Amino acid sequence: MSVVAQTAPPPSERRVLPRGWGDFVLQIGIWFGFLAAYQIARGLADRNPAEAFENGLRVIDIERNANALFELSLQGLVESSHLLALATSWTYWLSQFTVLGLALLWVYLRRNEYFARFRNVVMLANVLGLAGYVLAPTAPPRMFPDFGFVDTLSRFASLNHGSGLVELASNPYAAMPSLHAADSLIVGVALALIVRRWWAKALWLAWPAWVAFSVMATGNHFWLDIAAGAAVALLAAVALERRLLLRRA
């Protein structure tokens, strides 16, 4: 029997898992490894709240000096509508891990030829973001009520930052850069390129803008955090693309 015949998964398995169970388990391990790294970075960032608040005040000063502290207007809009507040709050919690994880799973199962590049951009962007959290922890807008910011999620008992699993999963000083923005931009652009129907492409292209609106309107990120997150996503994509080009040269 040939080596190919011995190592290739049976046809029934290939219909479900493009590369067999071994590779699927490996990808699951990589994803949960990232979640573990996130929690470690959270713990390290939590060690210096004074620095995090100082950095948050610097962000506020920059935006105020540029007459661009418009997050308060977005918060006012969301606070005026219970439905909008609920939708943006759920978006904040689901976009980074749930939607990202499901997008990775879908691409792995249905468009496997794109998976490795998609996964690698996500992982590199998140590693860069996690390094930023450790080196420069930054408090989010919701921690500055004296400036008029509110924590929209506190309106919902199951979603607020002090409740059970939510508190365990959250990183209180992980505002800069916004990985919500980085991940949603990567997912939105990647899925828009991969899916085939025009309306699906349009929805995925709108996804990063909706996530950016949601995280600012709920008091969890400044627009400078969003810009930094987009820069991290772009840097990761360019770095990996350059590596691929150098490998092919």
Side-chain angles (χ1 to χ4, degrees):
M1 184 180 292
S2 69
V3 174
V4 174
Q6 289 176 333
T7 58
S12 59
E13 186 177 298
R14 286 201 301 269
R15 281 197 296 269
V16 179
L17 300 174
R19 298 180 182 273
W21 279 103
D23 184 73
F24 182 69
V25 171
L26 173 63
Q27 301 308 326
I28 294 293
I30 290 173
W31 176 241
F32 281 98
F34 160 67
L35 294 182
Y38 184 89
Q39 290 305 314
I40 292 171
R42 174 194 189 278
L44 292 172
D46 282 356
R47 292 179 183 177
N48 200 340
E51 181 184 0
F53 276 93
E54 189 175 324
N55 288 334
L57 286 171
R58 286 197 184 99
V59 174
I60 291 175
D61 285 342
I62 292 171
E63 293 195 2
R64 288 176 72 183
N65 290 335
N67 293 318
L69 196 67
F70 59 76
E71 295 89 349
L72 291 169
S73 298
L74 299 182
Q75 285 217 285
L77 175 64
V78 165
E79 288 296 309
S80 67
S81 167
H82 177 83
L83 181 60
L84 194 54
L86 186 62
T88 52
S89 296
W90 273 111
T91 298
Y92 172 76
W93 282 123
L94 296 178
S95 62
Q96 192 172 4
F97 295 122
T98 306
V99 173
L100 174 59
L102 289 173
L104 283 164
L105 179 62
W106 184 85
V107 173
Y108 181 85
L109 295 175
R110 302 296 299 274
R111 302 286 190 273
N112 191 263
E113 65 272 24
Y114 300 104
F115 176 75
R117 186 176 296 185
F118 179 35
R119 178 206 60 201
N120 291 345
V121 174
V122 168
M123 296 302 294
L124 180 55
N126 279 272
V127 167
L128 293 173
L130 291 174
Y133 297 163
V134 175
L135 295 174
T138 305
R142 61 184 170 81
M143 292 186 176
F144 297 98
D146 291 346
F147 290 89
F149 292 105
V150 297
D151 183 0
T152 301
L153 277 71
S154 64
R155 294 174 55 177
F156 309 104
S158 61
L159 295 177
N160 75 74
H161 291 89
S163 65
L165 258 170
V166 168
E167 185 177 18
L168 177 66
S170 66
N171 185 337
Y173 307 122
M176 174 71 78
S178 169
L179 281 182
H180 282 85
D183 290 340
S184 65
L185 182 60
I186 295 168
V187 168
V189 172
L191 270 291
L193 291 172
I194 292 171
V195 298
R196 292 163 183 163
R197 298 184 182 278
W198 68 267
W199 56 265
K201 290 179 180 292
L203 286 174
W204 281 117
L205 285 174
W207 176 243
W210 169 249
V211 172
F213 170 78
S214 296
V215 298
M216 286 190 289
T218 54
N220 286 287
H221 283 290
F222 296 100
W223 68 261
L224 278 175
D225 305 334
I226 304 296
V232 162
L234 182 61
L235 177 62
V238 170
L240 288 172
E241 189 63 29
R242 185 171 181 272
R243 185 183 173 204
L244 285 174
L245 290 173
L246 288 173
R247 182 186 292 177
R248 291 170 183 170

